[in-house]
């Protein structure tokens, strides 16, 4: 019989803790450290304080609910190949890295398999998925990476708009904001058949010593003079797959409607879909009824049915392979780039009214206080009773029924809202992060240009569907954990120490405290948001709190969802548009024995870790592309208003200048530091402000300002402003009138005169240096 290890009566040193964290793989937290050093229970509180002190000092950091040495890499990393070492091995750096917090990105030496076939080995510029391990320092490289998959090959080309020149040739206007103002010449004969206004892909030749670099048009991507042209820029720039392969389309076309065989018949259950009015695919339907069983007075049974995409998209099929590459559907104001062909997404898997459709459903029993008591999953055949819009459902509850909602009000809609009222109670107790940021929507004209920008009203109908979906997602994660079947979680880490420190400094300028110690919970942020409710800085504080949060992602390892304040959470409710949900559907089918098309046996945690990293990257790509398209549409909308003034609010402060968000459209633009005023403005990081060295005038994050639009670059989606309003003096805004056009012009002239003097001074110095060098050369001869 083995002896129980003796308990220790003193804490380990910081060096011992760091050594343990550095040498141990897997989960590391307070419990693991206490066990490793055999600490008594009464020392665990002191250990927590010690770890908190080490985190404040920057010696350790908490990421994914685990302790790490600062700058440590996770086991699976998306990385960019940037160099070769002296022996020719490839060196990569992480795709995402906080240099401000951790310094230069760590280098990863890629180990290449000798058996790798041509085309399977990584090369310079590739974006790759690596399995990473720490190794001893060798020439500054402390990580070794084993290639899992090549995600993307390097872009040796520039995407831009071709502007023809009389006589042949032309110039390229790049779509990348970083290349604004840079010229790219296309010589006569290198146009590749491009016409004026075409979006093109250009192969860039090595730049000559003098003049602009030249390029050759290698692909015409379409004309920007056509409708839906703006989203085409983002699709091309980010390499978003937008055309389905022939084998994928053939497989979709050959798909046959599912039958009742092997399914429960739910066709008489009056499930309804509630979606935006312009939705084309309807993949979720809901129904609720009072629980008439004994022992649950005032309770409800909620049913959520989700389109059975797994029936049509089977593992390893052409549809499956392309869905994984796409990762998710991408939603632009003028089009959708779907994850699956329309035959699947808008037809066979769209829960249309009065049509038989296969679904995977969860039936959840909740108590009168909203607590979920039990749940069961079912593979069913359903028939939607109605297709409703959010506003239509809300109008019916508010007493304004129509021909569709009138017959549904008592048997369907009222029980749905009663069940939602119960769920609101548990939401209040759970207290998820409650950010209030209005979501703007661009309304387009028939020609694809902006008509107006609106803020849609947030209705109880939206919240009802949201709460039902969250409950179903939790049920899916719980079922799979209980069955010990691997899955992909939707996870959200708590904010990093660095972001919390920056948030704390910002809140101090508003006299709002944020505790330094204690367990971090969403309720702490909710108290901050409640403190600024209905104040002038309400939206600003909501945005700053949002920026302090980590980004949600997909992971085969569970570390909870901080924002929703949930221990386990998985995406189950949208397999038409998210590959993660398709994986969860397959896992449920396998766990519950619901058919032969479940998750394959070889889809273990290791395989799902790779898929999670890939679809997380695809999600980030989609978010950037969607945001850039909105920027381009707004810039195009405002391009004919150069010289107009707008009310806005400072949304960002950097050393380079100020970012301003316009109140009217939500558009973001930039004010370069040199155009802020006639003083020399310096960046005050702690105060989140630009401060005049001589005058003390300052512009702080969140300040309301008046700006003039001086430049709009629709292709790049960039706006440049000049400030017309004055800043703060000694913490107060001046009551005097704002800066006039004459003041702005004077500031501009002063800046240009200063730049001219500086340029002349540099030229004189260069001339003197040249003369001195020439004299020295004559002496040496």
């Amino acid at each position: 019989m083995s002896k129980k290890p003796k308990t220790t009566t003193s804490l380990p040193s910081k060096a011992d803790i760091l050594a343990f964290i550095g040498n141990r793989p897997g989960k590391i937290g307070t419990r693991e450290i206490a066990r490793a050093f055999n600490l008594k229970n009464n020392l665990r509180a002191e250990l927590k304080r010690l770890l908190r002190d080490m985190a404040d000092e920057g010696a350790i950091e908490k990421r994914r609910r685990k302790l790490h040495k600062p700058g440590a890499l996770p086991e699976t990393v998306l990385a960019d190949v940037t160099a070769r070492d002296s022996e020719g091995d490839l060196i990569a750096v992480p795709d995402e890295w906080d240099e401000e917090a951790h310094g230069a990105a760590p280098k990863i030496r890629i180990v290449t398999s000798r058996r790798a076939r041509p085309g399977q080995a990584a090369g310079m510029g590739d974006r790759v998925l690596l399995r990473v391990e720490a190794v001893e320092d060798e020439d500054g490289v402390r990580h070794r990476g084993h290639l899992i998959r090549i995600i993307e090959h390097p872009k040796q080309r520039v995407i831009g708009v071709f502007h023809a020149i009389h006589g042949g040739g032309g110039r390229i206007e790049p779509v990348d904001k970083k290349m604004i103002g840079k010229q790219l010449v296309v010589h006569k004969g290198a146009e590749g058949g491009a016409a004026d206004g075409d979006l093109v892909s250009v192969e860039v030749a090595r730049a000559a010593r003098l003049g602009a670099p030249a390029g050759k048009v290698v692909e015409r991507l379409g004309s920007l003079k056509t409708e839906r042209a703006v989203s085409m820029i983002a699709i091309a720039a980010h390499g978003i797959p937008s055309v389905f392969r022939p084998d994928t389309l053939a497989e979709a076309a050959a798909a046959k409607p599912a039958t009742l065989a092997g399914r429960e018949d739910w066709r008489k259950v009056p499930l309804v879909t509630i979606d935006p009015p312009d939705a084309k695919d309807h993949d979720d339907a809901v129904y609720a009824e009072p629980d008439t069983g004994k022992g649950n007075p005032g309770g409800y049974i909620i049913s959520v049915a989700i389109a059975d995409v797994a029936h049509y998209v089977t593992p390893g099929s052409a549809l499956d392979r392309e869905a994984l590459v796409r990762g998710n559907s991408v939603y632009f104001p003028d089009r959708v780039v779907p994850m699956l062909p329309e035959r699947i997404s808008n037809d066979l898997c769209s829960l249309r009214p009065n049509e038989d459709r296969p679904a995977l459903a969860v039936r959840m029993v909740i108590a009168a206080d909203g607590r979920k008591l039990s749940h069961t999953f079912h593979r069913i055949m359903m028939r939607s009773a109605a297709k409703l819009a959010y506003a239509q459902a809300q109008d019916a509850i508010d007493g304004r029924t129509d021909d569709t909602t009138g017959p549904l009000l008592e048997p369907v809609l009222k029980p749905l809202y009663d069940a939602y009222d119960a769920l609101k109670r548990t939401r209040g107790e759970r207290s998820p992060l409650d950010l209030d940021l209005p979501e703007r929507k661009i309304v387009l004209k028939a020609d694809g240009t902006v008509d107006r920008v609106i803020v849609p009203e947030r209705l109880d109908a939206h919240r009802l569907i949201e709460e039902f979906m969250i409950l179903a997602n939790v049920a899916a994660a719980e079922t799979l954990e209980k069955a010990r079947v691997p899955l992909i979680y939707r996870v959200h880490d708590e904010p990093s120490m660095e972001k919390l420190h920056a948030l704390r400094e910002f809140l101090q300028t508003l006299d709002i405290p944020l505790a330094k110690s204690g367990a971090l919970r969403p309720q702490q942020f909710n108290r901050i948001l409640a403190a600024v409710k209905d104040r002038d800085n309400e939206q600003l504080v909501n945005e700053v709190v949002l920026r302090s949060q980590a980004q949600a992602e997909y992971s085969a390892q569970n570390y909870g969802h901080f924002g929703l304040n949930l221990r386990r959470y998985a995406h189950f409710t949208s397999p038409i548009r998210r590959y993660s949900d398709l994986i969860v559907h397959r896992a449920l089918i396998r766990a519950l024995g619901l058919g032969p098309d479940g998750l394959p046996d070889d889809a273990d945690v290791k395989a799902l870790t790779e898929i999670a990293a890939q679809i997380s990257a695809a999600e980030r790509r989609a978010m950037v592309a969607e945001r850039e398209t909105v920027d381009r549409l707004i810039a195009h909308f405002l391009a004919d208003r150069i010289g107009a003034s707008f009310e806005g609010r400072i949304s960002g402060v950097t050393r380079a200048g100020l970012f301003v968000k316009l109140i009217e459209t939500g558009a973001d633009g930039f004010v370069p530091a040199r155009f802020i005023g006639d003083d020399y403005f310096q960046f005050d990081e702690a105060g989140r402000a630009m401060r005049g060295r001589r005058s003390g005038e300052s512009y702080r994050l969140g300040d309301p300002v008046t700006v003039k639009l001086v430049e709009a670059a629709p292709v790049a989606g960039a706006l440049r402003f000049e400030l017309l309003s004055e800043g703060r003096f000694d913490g107060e805004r001046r009551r005097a009138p704002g800066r006039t056009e004459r003041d702005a012009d004077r500031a501009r002239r002063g800046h240009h005169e200063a730049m001219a003097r500086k340029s002349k001074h540099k030229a004189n110095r260069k001339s003197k240096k040249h003369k001195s060098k020439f004299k020295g050369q004559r002496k040496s001869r």
Side-chain angles (χ1 to χ4, degrees):
M1 185 175 178
S2 60
K3 291 183 179 180
K4 188 177 180 179
K6 293 182 179 179
T7 54
T8 306
T9 57
S10 61
L11 289 173
S13 67
K14 293 180 180 179
D16 289 338
I17 292 174
L18 286 174
F20 175 72
I21 292 173
N23 294 327
R24 179 186 168 115
K27 181 181 178 182
I28 303 174
T30 307
R31 183 184 302 173
E32 286 73 27
I33 295 173
R35 285 177 179 171
F37 291 97
N38 303 318
L39 299 181
K40 288 184 176 180
N41 288 336
N42 61 348
L43 286 176
R44 297 202 175 193
E46 291 185 39
L47 175 63
K48 286 184 178 180
R49 282 194 291 272
L50 175 61
L51 294 174
R52 204 157 43 233
D53 290 342
M54 292 176 70
D56 290 340
E57 294 166 4
I60 59 174
E61 64 179 8
K62 197 172 186 181
R63 188 173 67 245
R64 298 187 175 185
R65 303 287 171 90
K66 302 175 187 177
L67 294 173
H68 301 265
K69 284 187 176 181
L73 292 175
E75 293 177 6
T76 306
V77 175
L78 189 67
D80 295 315
V81 181
T82 58
R84 289 186 184 273
D85 64 12
S86 58
E87 296 182 3
D89 290 332
L90 292 170
I91 301 295
V93 294
D95 174 59
E96 286 192 348
W97 185 259
D98 190 344
E99 290 195 354
E100 290 186 10
H102 305 305
K107 296 177 181 179
I108 308 165
R109 180 175 284 107
I110 298 177
V111 179
T112 305
S113 171
R114 293 180 180 178
R115 290 179 288 181
R117 298 175 184 175
Q120 292 182 334
M124 285 292 295
D126 283 350
R127 176 163 292 184
V128 293
L129 194 62
L130 301 174
R131 189 175 299 108
V132 174
E133 58 183 344
V135 295
E136 290 186 9
D137 191 324
E138 184 180 342
D139 299 328
V141 181
R142 299 180 180 179
H143 296 86
R144 179 190 297 132
H146 299 271
L147 182 66
I148 297 172
R149 185 179 294 111
I150 298 172
I151 302 298
E152 189 177 52
H153 288 296
K155 296 176 181 176
Q156 302 288 353
R157 302 174 180 178
V158 170
I159 306 295
V161 180
F162 178 76
H163 297 285
I165 297 174
H166 181 69
R171 62 181 181 84
I172 300 298
E173 180 184 359
V175 301
D176 191 343
K177 283 184 181 180
K178 296 175 183 177
M179 298 183 69
I180 289 179
K182 294 182 180 179
Q183 289 286 335
L184 188 63
V185 175
V186 175
H187 296 302
K188 186 176 180 179
E191 303 95 330
D196 187 65
D198 277 357
L199 184 68
V200 296
S201 178
V202 179
E203 196 172 79
V204 183
R206 188 171 294 177
R209 287 189 176 184
L210 299 174
K216 176 184 178 182
V217 175
V218 292
E219 186 180 4
R220 293 177 64 233
L221 302 170
S223 174
L224 288 189
K225 297 176 182 178
T226 61
E227 295 180 17
R228 305 196 307 169
V230 175
S231 58
M232 187 170 61
I233 296 175
I235 290 169
H238 293 281
I240 295 173
S242 59
V243 178
F244 286 103
R245 295 192 296 261
D247 57 342
T248 303
L249 293 173
E251 196 169 276
K256 304 295 183 188
T259 65
L260 189 59
R263 297 178 182 274
E264 297 177 34
D265 191 349
W266 281 31
R267 288 177 292 182
K268 291 184 179 180
V269 179
L271 291 148
V272 295
T273 61
I274 306 177
D275 292 295
D278 54 353
K280 292 183 179 180
D281 51 51
H282 308 275
D283 58 357
D284 59 85
V286 293
Y287 174 70
E289 58 185 337
D291 186 1
T292 56
K294 293 181 180 180
N296 188 25
Y300 285 86
I301 300 174
I302 297 173
S303 296
V304 174
I306 307 298
D308 192 355
V309 177
H311 174 78
Y312 299 103
V313 184
T314 55
S317 64
L319 282 164
D320 181 49
R321 292 193 301 271
E322 184 145 2
L324 175 56
V325 169
R326 293 180 177 228
N328 48 254
S329 297
V330 187
Y331 292 85
F332 298 108
D334 59 348
R335 77 170 87 189
V336 176
V337 179
M339 184 181 80
L340 296 167
E342 287 192 7
R343 166 68 172 155
I344 303 295
S345 60
N346 292 4
D347 184 4
L348 294 175
C349 287
S350 188
L351 307 181
R352 297 172 178 169
N354 304 313
E355 294 186 19
D356 291 0
R357 288 291 182 267
L360 195 59
V362 57
R363 180 176 278 156
M364 300 168 286
V365 180
I366 65 168
D369 60 3
R371 288 178 298 110
K372 181 168 67 65
L373 302 178
S374 63
H375 68 265
T376 53
F377 281 89
H378 311 261
R379 210 167 189 187
I380 67 168
M381 183 66 74
M382 62 163 284
R383 184 180 293 165
S384 171
K387 178 183 75 172
L388 304 178
Y390 287 115
Q392 186 182 15
Q394 191 65 50
D395 283 345
I397 288 294
D398 294 341
R400 299 181 295 275
T401 58
D402 56 28
D403 292 343
T404 302
T405 57
L408 297 172
L409 181 61
E410 293 296 333
V412 177
L413 292 176
K414 283 190 175 180
L416 281 172
Y417 275 77
D418 290 342
Y420 165 61
D421 284 339
L423 288 179
K424 282 195 293 187
R425 299 186 189 109
T426 53
R427 178 184 170 86
E429 292 174 7
R430 194 177 84 241
S431 192
L433 188 60
D434 193 17
L435 291 166
D436 184 13
L437 289 168
E439 188 174 335
R440 289 177 169 82
K441 182 178 179 181
I442 294 178
V443 179
L444 300 179
K445 300 175 185 175
D447 63 357
T449 59
V450 177
D451 180 30
R452 63 192 186 279
V453 180
I454 62 172
V455 179
E457 185 181 1
R458 177 92 166 140
L459 305 170
D460 271 350
H462 294 98
R463 299 183 183 96
L464 181 154
I465 294 299
E466 183 178 282
E467 288 304 313
F468 280 23
M469 297 304 119
I470 289 173
L471 196 65
N473 288 337
V474 170
E478 289 176 349
T479 296
L480 292 173
E481 279 197 356
K482 186 177 180 180
R484 298 184 180 276
V485 172
L487 71 147
I488 290 180
Y489 294 90
R490 181 63 169 179
V491 290
H492 180 224
D493 206 356
E494 61 186 39
S496 67
M497 294 290 182
E498 294 79 12
K499 288 187 175 181
L500 279 177
H501 179 69
L503 176 63
R504 191 175 291 112
E505 284 190 336
F506 166 71
L507 292 174
Q508 283 174 353
T509 66
L510 303 177
D511 296 323
I512 299 175
L514 177 62
K516 285 187 176 181
S517 59
L520 197 61
R521 295 284 184 269
Q523 293 96 313
Q524 293 169 260
F525 296 103
N526 290 341
R527 285 194 289 270
I528 293 167
L529 300 174
V532 297
K533 188 72 176 173
D534 299 325
R535 283 168 49 176
D536 289 342
N537 54 14
E538 178 183 1
Q539 186 174 354
L540 167 70
V541 173
N542 272 265
E543 289 177 353
V544 174
V545 169
L546 176 63
R547 291 179 199 171
S548 72
Q549 303 302 307
Q551 185 172 348
E553 62 180 354
Y554 295 106
S555 172
Q557 303 289 341
N558 182 31
Y559 55 90
H561 198 295
F562 178 80
L564 292 175
N565 202 10
L566 292 168
R567 290 185 178 181
R568 55 191 62 82
Y569 192 65
H571 274 167
F572 158 75
T573 54
S574 293
I576 282 179
R577 62 185 179 90
R578 294 188 303 229
Y579 194 82
S580 59
D581 303 50
L582 178 56
I583 290 289
V584 169
H585 275 232
R586 289 173 179 167
L588 287 166
I589 292 167
R590 169 174 153 184
L592 302 174
L594 298 177
D597 43 5
L599 196 67
D601 292 337
D602 60 355
D604 55 12
V605 172
K606 179 180 173 183
L608 294 185
T609 297
E610 298 172 10
I611 291 173
Q614 188 171 342
I615 61 179
S616 293
E619 181 186 41
R620 290 193 296 270
R621 176 183 67 185
M623 290 170 62
V624 173
E626 291 166 359
R627 185 174 63 246
E628 288 179 355
T629 299
V630 169
D631 289 346
R632 289 186 177 103
L633 283 166
I634 294 293
H636 191 275
F637 179 56
L638 296 176
D640 60 354
R641 299 178 68 182
I642 300 294
S645 60
F646 300 88
E647 298 304 312
R649 195 174 287 275
I650 296 175
S651 58
V653 184
T654 68
R655 297 182 190 281
L658 305 172
F659 288 94
V660 174
K661 182 183 289 290
L662 302 186
I663 304 298
E664 178 185 340
T665 60
D668 287 297
F670 188 60
V671 181
R674 62 183 181 275
F675 291 131
I676 292 178
D678 53 3
D679 199 349
Y680 180 79
F681 281 81
Q682 294 176 305
F683 177 51
D684 176 5
E685 186 173 3
R688 300 282 186 96
M690 292 293 280
R691 199 175 304 280
R693 179 190 289 175
R694 175 175 48 80
S695 64
E697 182 182 15
S698 67
Y699 292 90
R700 196 176 70 179
L701 184 69
D703 281 350
V705 290
T706 303
V707 295
K708 183 175 79 170
L709 179 62
V710 295
E711 184 181 358
V715 170
L719 301 172
R720 186 164 66 82
F721 301 130
E722 281 185 2
L723 282 172
L724 297 180
S725 54
E726 291 185 327
R728 295 170 176 267
F729 290 86
D730 299 324
E732 298 294 332
R733 296 192 69 81
R734 259 192 189 169
R735 296 180 183 176
R739 182 181 283 115
T740 64
E741 294 283 345
R742 184 180 298 175
D743 294 331
D745 288 339
R746 188 185 303 124
R748 270 198 307 277
R749 286 198 303 272
H751 166 74
H752 291 315
E753 288 169 2
M755 292 297 288
R757 287 194 298 270
K758 187 176 179 180
S759 178
K760 185 176 180 181
H761 178 65
K762 284 177 70 176
N764 288 338
R765 286 181 60 192
K766 191 172 181 181
S767 176
K768 289 178 181 178
K769 187 177 179 182
H770 176 73
K771 290 177 181 177
S772 166
K773 185 178 178 182
F774 183 65
K775 286 181 181 177
Q777 286 175 344
R778 284 196 300 184
K779 287 180 180 178
S780 65
R781 285 178 191 162

